[in-house]
């Protein structure tokens, strides 16, 4: 019996084989990305690449997956270690800033890209690189009490007017729910090819 025993019963052997073989890139290891990466690994995705330039800060502890001992450490590398300790999945953790000039090199070879960056310039760079490489791309983001998960080509990069990534209100439970929704959308795409956009308003807990 493997750690994926229940997941296999739920999704079926064919889907689990597709997940095991899938190569997924997660752009961002913050409030969405850290929970998303753990969720995908625990669901059976066999190959993960996490790209994030940042280090853990104390204010990240309430909304992300870190512990106090992680403060100061590189998020991408720490997440790779955490996932390997949890379920044995090897994660390619890259402490890099993804830009328009290096995006294709960082994303090449993937079957799916998930953009969970917290600023517009990085999101635009991911969108451009994924389009040039013809890799399906799912964007997930948060704003106040709203979350969305949108596939390219439907996604519009938001204005950079609110890109102060340090000072914004954020509820932990909103981040976790949004990450779970993004994970399930990614898993369904990898298993069946289905693409579905979702939006969540947290005040009334409405998903549409």
């Amino acid at each position: 019996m493997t750690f994926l025993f229940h997941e296999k019963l739920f999704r079926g052997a064919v889907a689990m084989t597709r997940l095991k073989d899938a190569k997924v890139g997660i752009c961002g290891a913050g409030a969405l990305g850290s929970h998303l990466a753990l969720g995908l690994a625990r669901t059976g995705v066999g190959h993960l690449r996490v790209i994030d330039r940042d280090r853990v800060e104390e204010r990240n502890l309430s909304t992300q997956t870190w512990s106090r001992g992680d403060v100061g450490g590189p998020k991408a590398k720490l997440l790779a270690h955490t996932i390997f300790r949890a379920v044995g999945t090897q994660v390619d953790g890259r402490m890099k800033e993804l830009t328009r000039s290096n995006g294709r090199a960082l994303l090449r070879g993937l079957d799916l890209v998930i953009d969970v960056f917290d600023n517009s310039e990085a999101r635009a760079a991911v969108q451009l690189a994924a389009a040039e490489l013809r890799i399906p791309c799912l964007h997930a983001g948060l704003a106040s009490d709203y979350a969305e998960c949108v596939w390219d080509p439907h996604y519009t990069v938001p204005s950079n007017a609110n890109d102060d990534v340090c000072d914004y209100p954020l509820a932990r439970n909103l981040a976790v729910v949004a990450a779970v929704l993004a994970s399930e959308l990614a898993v369904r795409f990898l298993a069946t090819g289905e693409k579905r956009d979702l939006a969540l308003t947290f005040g009334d807990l409405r998903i549409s």
Side-chain angles (χ1 to χ4, degrees), residues 178-202:
V180 169
L181 290 175
S183 175
E184 184 60 23
L185 291 178
V187 166
R188 292 189 181 198
F189 168 74
L190 294 168
T192 69
E194 174 191 8
K195 289 183 179 179
R196 180 180 175 186
D197 299 339
L198 289 177
L200 165 68
T201 49
F202 196 56

Side-chain angles (χ1 to χ4, degrees), residues 7-8 11-21 190-192:
E7 201 75 29
K8 184 175 180 180
R11 300 190 189 274
V14 173
M16 295 309 295
T17 297
R18 290 173 179 169
L19 294 177
K20 180 181 178 182
D21 294 339
L190 294 168
T192 69

Side-chain angles (χ1 to χ4, degrees), residues 117-140:
F117 277 138
D118 57 10
N119 68 90
S120 301
E121 180 60 30
R123 286 184 177 277
V126 173
Q127 187 177 52
L128 176 64
E132 291 177 342
L133 293 168
R134 298 185 179 181
I135 301 172
C137 185
L138 174 65
H139 303 266

Side-chain angles (χ1 to χ4, degrees), residues 52-85:
D52 194 298
R53 69 177 183 179
D54 291 337
R55 293 179 178 272
V56 178
E57 300 178 70
E58 187 173 5
R59 63 183 164 206
N60 300 147
L61 299 183
S62 69
T63 58
Q64 302 177 24
T65 58
W66 322 112
S67 60
R68 287 182 296 173
D70 294 327
V71 173
K75 289 182 177 181
K77 298 293 186 181
L78 287 171
L79 194 53
H81 294 320
T82 298
I83 291 172
F84 183 76
R85 289 197 305 269

